[in-house]
Amino acid sequence: SVSQACCICGGSKLLSPSPSIASSDRPSASSALPTSQPSQIASQSPSACVDEPDWRFVQGTNVALGCSAFDAAPSLFCKQVGDIGFISNGKSVYEACCVCGGGQHVEAASSQRPSQAPTVIPTLSSHPSRVPTTAPTVCEDDDNWMSGGTVPVLSGLSCDALGENESYCAVLDDPQFSNFSKSVSQACCICGGSKLLSPSPSIASSDRPSASSALPTSQPSQIALQSPSTCVDEPDW
């Protein structure tokens, strides 16, 4: 029924048909129902379907149509031709045309040429790729970065503060706003950077003392602090 065959009505081609109590007007192609799972029994050799070469459909016109004429809309044409019981060379459209479930299955010759189109589904491999990706799959901002300098509003901005506003990128890419040896274009995803990009060494002298000569690391320090410390805001500022 339409509720079994059409997705819009709740069906699909994978739904099992309900058994018919009426006799069929054509032989069954197979006694097995279609399945979404691959067969556990390998075929002896690959086969290709070939339309009945001399089969032609003629109805109310002098134009004879072969099976290939139904390729554009098989669900429509196969049913219409089949419903009127048209027979050509002793075969119905369901027996003669591959697109309607018929045709002749012959052994297919293997091709020595690669496919002209890539497969829709990528082939899975148990081995890692030998070629590294040029960029991380998911970009993550450098959480430790904020714009340097002493310019009101523009200094002290984190990547999160930029949001999706790319206009900040050109402004903050000025060297005065670099911080932690990174510019905004190296630290923030919206500006083309990420936390995985290595900082570039600075060739200009710093206008403030460095917090550390070591680059930030995701690993804990092997040297314990002499005493724990906490940050306290300037009380009279």
Side-chain angles (χ1 to χ4, degrees):
S1 66
V2 67
S3 60
Q4 293 174 311
C6 302
C7 293
I8 189 65
C9 300
S12 76
K13 69 178 182 179
L14 299 181
L15 287 180
S16 298
S18 55
S20 172
I21 59 176
S23 59
S24 173
D25 59 353
R26 59 184 184 275
S28 300
S30 172
S31 59
L33 296 177
T35 173
S36 60
Q37 301 299 321
S39 172
Q40 300 300 315
I41 303 174
S43 59
Q44 295 181 355
S45 60
S47 62
C49 185
V50 178
D51 293 322
E52 185 73 25
D54 298 325
W55 192 92
R56 295 290 184 272
F57 173 70
V58 181
Q59 185 74 12
T61 176
N62 292 327
V63 179
L65 301 176
C67 291
S68 60
F70 306 145
D71 290 348
S75 59
L76 173 65
F77 292 125
C78 296
K79 185 178 187 306
Q80 289 183 342
V81 176
D83 285 351
I84 64 175
F86 181 83
I87 299 295
S88 173
N89 287 340
K91 290 187 177 181
S92 70
V93 67
Y94 296 112
E95 298 170 305
C97 302
C98 294
V99 75
C100 299
Q104 303 174 13
H105 289 271
V106 298
E107 184 175 344
S110 60
S111 173
Q112 301 299 320
R113 295 180 298 175
S115 172
Q116 298 299 315
T119 56
V120 177
I121 303 175
T123 303
L124 300 180
S125 173
S126 58
H127 302 286
S129 172
R130 296 181 179 180
V131 181
T133 56
T134 57
T137 303
V138 178
C139 186
E140 295 184 30
D141 293 322
D142 188 336
D143 297 331
N144 297 319
W145 189 87
M146 62 176 58
S147 57
T150 57
V151 180
V153 180
L154 296 178
S155 296
L157 294 177
S158 66
C159 294
D160 284 340
L162 306 185
E164 300 297 324
N165 195 338
E166 296 182 6
S167 60
Y168 278 112
C169 300
V171 176
L172 296 179
D173 214 25
D174 189 282
Q176 66 175 315
F177 297 115
S178 293
N179 204 3
F180 300 114
S181 300
K182 279 188 176 183
S183 66
V184 68
S185 60
Q186 294 174 311
C188 303
C189 292
I190 188 65
C191 300
S194 74
K195 70 177 182 180
L196 300 180
L197 288 179
S198 300
S200 56
S202 173
I203 59 175
S205 58
S206 173
D207 59 354
R208 58 186 183 279
S210 300
S212 171
S213 59
L215 296 177
T217 175
S218 61
Q219 302 298 321
S221 172
Q222 302 299 318
I223 304 175
L225 296 173
Q226 295 180 355
S227 59
S229 62
T230 185
C231 182
V232 179
D233 292 325
E234 182 71 28
D236 299 325
W237 187 85

